[in-house]
Amino acid sequence: MNFTNSLTQWYLQNKRDLPWRNTTNPYPIWLSEIILQQTRVAQGTPYFLSFMAAFPTVFDLAKADEEQVLKLWQGLGYYSRARNLHKTAQYVASELSGVFPNTYKDLLKLKGVGEYTAAAIASFSYNEPVPVVDGNVFRILSRYFDMETDIAAASAKKEFAALAFELMPKDNPALFNQAIMEFGALQCVPKSPNCGICVFNSSCAALQKKKVDQLPVNSKKLKVRNRFFNYLVVSDDNENTIIQKRIAKGIWQNLYEFPLIETDAEKDFDYISTSIQDEFFKNNELISVDECNGKSVIHKLSHQHLHIKFWKVKVKGTIENGMDATTLKSFPFPIVIFNFIEMN
């Protein structure tokens, strides 16, 4: 039995029942694909269901306020996905009368839709024979065929896409794409796959050559930047606090946070106290500054590790633009700040 038949048979016996798999409607398929970028299915599924409940159609999502979209996205990370999702919904609703493009080429023109997502929508919604190529596909094909192509190389995607296209049954590309993605998620996992129960254990070249843990080859090493955030959790005579919106491009754009002092390393109480007096709350007398967490909370993003400290700052009088605790919770925050608010 060849690779494609074995893979398809495995999928039909082992596939998970996922809500976006029971439709060819491009709206939920697109929504699920955007949510599942950089996100595991178990984490993404509740978000998908929440979005579908809040915005059953692309018109509903287009009409929503960006803050509503970001609030619903809170905790998923990579927030540019949510901003692009909203912009694309507005574009599809107003410029395309709510009808998604029906070819891979035209889907690529949508904001936030790359090659992988366009291929997924084109094959699942319109049965266009375009292979999906992501980490799962690199891993499965490199192991099965013992391909030592460096997946960080510019030409790698083209090579793997050509092979996937060759293996794909042109009359049912959706089934093949679903199957190879599911196989990578459940069976041919990155670390310590259970090759003993694999349907390919007699035909996988990497297994025969004891190279499973060496493939795929990836020379790209992630450079991680350390950043040090000191958040000022201000409280005035009325127990009101203040927040600000992150406008700059970069992490957490358009989300809210407490006033921030970013430093080049972890700083002590004296440094923070002096900085507060020099830079903040000139209209309010400073009563006290206390450390909320002695040890920094380390929040890991793909390219950055944030070392976060929260400082309780008590001031006299009434702060300008202050808000109470209930109002505070209605804003979209990065999950690390939201968790702090919930616990305090």
Side-chain angles (χ1 to χ4, degrees):
M1 192 182 282
N2 71 16
F3 175 86
T4 303
N5 288 346
S6 299
L7 179 71
T8 309
Q9 201 169 25
W10 174 90
Y11 174 68
L12 295 172
Q13 288 167 358
N14 295 280
K15 66 174 179 172
R16 290 168 292 182
D17 182 21
L18 303 173
W20 50 85
R21 282 195 176 149
N22 309 321
T23 181
T24 55
N25 179 346
Y27 172 65
I29 289 170
W30 161 74
L31 182 61
S32 72
E33 288 301 329
I34 302 297
I35 286 172
L36 293 176
Q37 289 168 1
Q38 313 281 348
T39 300
R40 289 172 296 106
V41 165
Q43 189 194 4
T45 303
Y47 283 88
F48 171 81
L49 296 171
S50 297
F51 265 84
M52 285 303 294
F55 315 118
T57 71
V58 73
F59 294 105
D60 297 309
L61 180 53
K63 277 187 298 206
D65 183 63
E66 188 189 65
E67 282 193 6
Q68 193 188 350
V69 174
L70 288 171
K71 185 69 183 165
L72 212 51
W73 194 273
Q74 188 173 267
L76 257 186
Y78 299 96
Y79 288 89
S80 59
R81 292 182 295 167
R83 294 192 298 273
N84 288 338
L85 183 86
H86 192 220
K87 287 191 179 96
T88 295
Q90 290 173 329
Y91 172 76
V92 172
S94 61
E95 303 296 319
L96 306 178
S97 309
V99 181
F100 276 80
N102 62 0
T103 66
Y104 169 74
K105 202 173 153 196
D106 287 339
L107 284 160
L108 273 176
K109 295 172 187 169
L110 299 177
K111 206 169 175 58
V113 172
E115 293 173 356
Y116 171 82
T117 305
I121 302 166
S123 62
F124 303 155
S125 292
Y126 306 115
N127 229 23
E128 187 179 347
V130 198
V132 291
V133 180
D134 71 343
N136 289 319
V137 176
F138 280 137
R139 191 165 60 254
I140 294 161
L141 297 183
S142 67
R143 285 173 176 172
Y144 185 82
F145 294 101
D146 185 23
M147 293 168 72
E148 293 192 340
T149 305
D150 182 356
I151 64 169
S155 59
K157 204 163 207 174
K158 214 172 177 179
E159 186 184 338
F160 280 87
L163 176 56
F165 183 75
E166 206 180 298
L167 297 165
M168 169 190 282
K170 307 307 176 280
D171 58 340
N172 201 344
L175 184 63
F176 178 82
N177 280 343
Q178 291 279 22
I180 201 162
M181 282 156 56
E182 193 76 333
F183 192 74
L186 300 182
Q187 174 60 47
C188 195
V189 293
K191 288 179 182 162
S192 311
N194 185 353
C195 298
I197 60 158
C198 181
V199 291
F200 296 120
N201 60 17
S202 59
S203 55
C204 171
L207 185 59
Q208 316 309 318
K209 298 177 184 179
K210 297 185 168 49
K211 285 170 69 178
V212 171
D213 59 345
Q214 296 161 38
L215 294 170
V217 174
N218 187 358
S219 65
K220 195 177 178 184
K221 289 280 180 280
L222 204 61
K223 280 199 179 80
V224 175
R225 174 186 170 201
N226 284 296
R227 296 177 75 180
F228 301 86
F229 285 11
N230 295 277
Y231 281 120
L232 311 179
V233 186
V234 184
S235 176
D236 67 8
D237 289 347
N238 305 314
E239 296 294 315
N240 283 345
T241 192
I242 50 169
I243 55 173
Q244 61 193 21
K245 192 175 188 176
R246 284 183 75 96
I247 305 293
K249 285 210 184 312
I251 62 163
W252 301 339
Q253 189 185 0
N254 292 356
L255 295 182
Y256 287 80
E257 63 184 356
F258 295 110
L260 169 68
I261 298 175
E262 184 170 355
T263 52
D264 56 0
E266 227 171 85
K267 296 294 184 186
D268 61 11
F269 174 83
D270 292 338
Y271 180 93
I272 297 299
S273 301
T274 309
S275 300
I276 293 171
Q277 281 167 329
D278 290 348
E279 296 173 43
F280 295 88
F281 321 118
K282 293 188 171 66
N283 302 333
N284 298 85
E285 187 190 327
L286 197 61
I287 299 172
S288 62
V289 179
D290 293 301
E291 215 171 8
C292 296
N293 53 324
K295 208 166 179 236
S296 288
V297 174
I298 299 175
H299 187 64
K300 294 181 179 180
L301 304 173
S302 56
H303 295 81
Q304 302 181 26
H305 286 178
L306 309 180
H307 302 253
I308 297 171
K309 278 196 170 183
F310 294 94
W311 301 83
K312 210 169 190 59
V313 179
K314 191 90 180 116
V315 296
K316 224 180 178 59
T318 305
I319 334 169
E320 202 182 330
N321 302 323
M323 65 177 69
D324 62 28
T326 310
T327 311
L328 181 73
K329 290 184 181 183
S330 67
F331 286 84
F333 290 98
I335 196 67
V336 66
I337 298 177
F338 177 75
N339 288 342
F340 171 83
I341 293 167
E342 287 288 279
M343 286 163 62
N344 290 274

